[in-house]
Amino acid sequence: MRLLLVEDDPMIGEAVADALRGEGHGVDWAQDGPSGARALAAGAPYALLLLDLGLPGRDGLQLLADLRARGDRLPVLVMTARDTVGDRIAGLDAGADDYLVKPFDLDELLARVRALLRRASGRAEPLLAHGRLRLDPAKHTAWLGEQPLALSAREFALLQALLEKPDAVLSRAQLEERLYGWNEPVGSNTVEVHIHNLRRKLGERAIRNVRGVGYTLGDLETPD
Ligand code: CA
């Protein structure tokens, strides 16, 4: 998934961005209020906003209020050192979906991110399945039939994107948007390399290339 992180503290920002990238997410990191607002206005397909409240330029609560005033329902996880009950209520009233008080444990942050993404996609059942393929985004595990699969974080994220829209054809640009954030160079054939590796693990016909359009799930019923 492509996530937006708005956090001015360099150490916290880097730790959070690294942890999220380790889960296979593409992370855009804005380090002050105005650049956070610009990133939101630019219309990238973000799945989640991780928002600090005390930000230079524009306060996080204001940014959140503006977002909701536009009718944008993007899930928002507020991360802040403001931990009075009044602050939490203000954050939730302004439209935050969840609230984490600093200092927090990175594993807890990742668990909450997974829960928010799951809730946002409207799936009560966290498992994704297609044919003989099953994916558990919470545990980051995948099976083909009874066989557990060893997938890299990017391969997992790419497969998850395809499984979430099993009837859609996703373009290379759409897949890159899901896999990479700003400042992450995307090699000209990176998506192709991941697809090649996934076919090696899942079978040559598991992912179909629709010429000139993109990629979609293929035959995952019959063993290769
Ligand atoms: Ca701050």
Side-chain angles (χ1 to χ4, degrees), residues 84-126:
T84 70
V85 174
D87 286 326
R88 287 191 206 202
I89 292 170
L92 294 168
D93 274 351
D97 296 276
D98 201 356
Y99 203 97
L100 209 49
V101 176
K102 296 175 185 170
F104 48 75
D105 184 86
L106 280 175
D107 287 332
E108 182 180 2
L109 174 93
L110 294 177
R112 291 195 187 209
V113 165
R114 285 192 297 266
L116 283 173
L117 293 175
R118 202 158 62 225
R119 212 190 299 161
S121 67
R123 278 178 285 112
E125 170 57 59

Side-chain angles (χ1 to χ4, degrees), residues 7-9 52-56 102:
E7 167 64 76
D8 62 312
D9 183 302
D52 179 29
L53 293 188
L55 291 165
K102 296 175 185 170

Side-chain angles (χ1 to χ4, degrees), residues 143-199:
W143 304 265
L144 189 61
E146 297 308 310
Q147 192 69 37
L149 293 165
L151 302 176
S152 72
R154 299 263 196 238
E155 287 165 10
F156 192 95
L158 203 152
L159 206 50
Q160 186 176 346
L162 291 170
L163 272 164
E164 282 171 357
K165 293 193 175 152
D167 301 320
V169 178
L170 299 181
S171 70
R172 193 174 87 176
Q174 283 174 316
L175 291 171
E176 282 172 355
E177 290 228 310
R178 280 285 297 262
L179 297 185
Y180 300 95
W182 306 333
N183 305 325
E184 284 184 89
V186 182
S188 59
N189 61 353
T190 317
V191 166
E192 280 86 347
V193 170
H194 291 314
I195 297 276
H196 171 82
N197 291 333
L198 281 170
R199 282 182 177 141

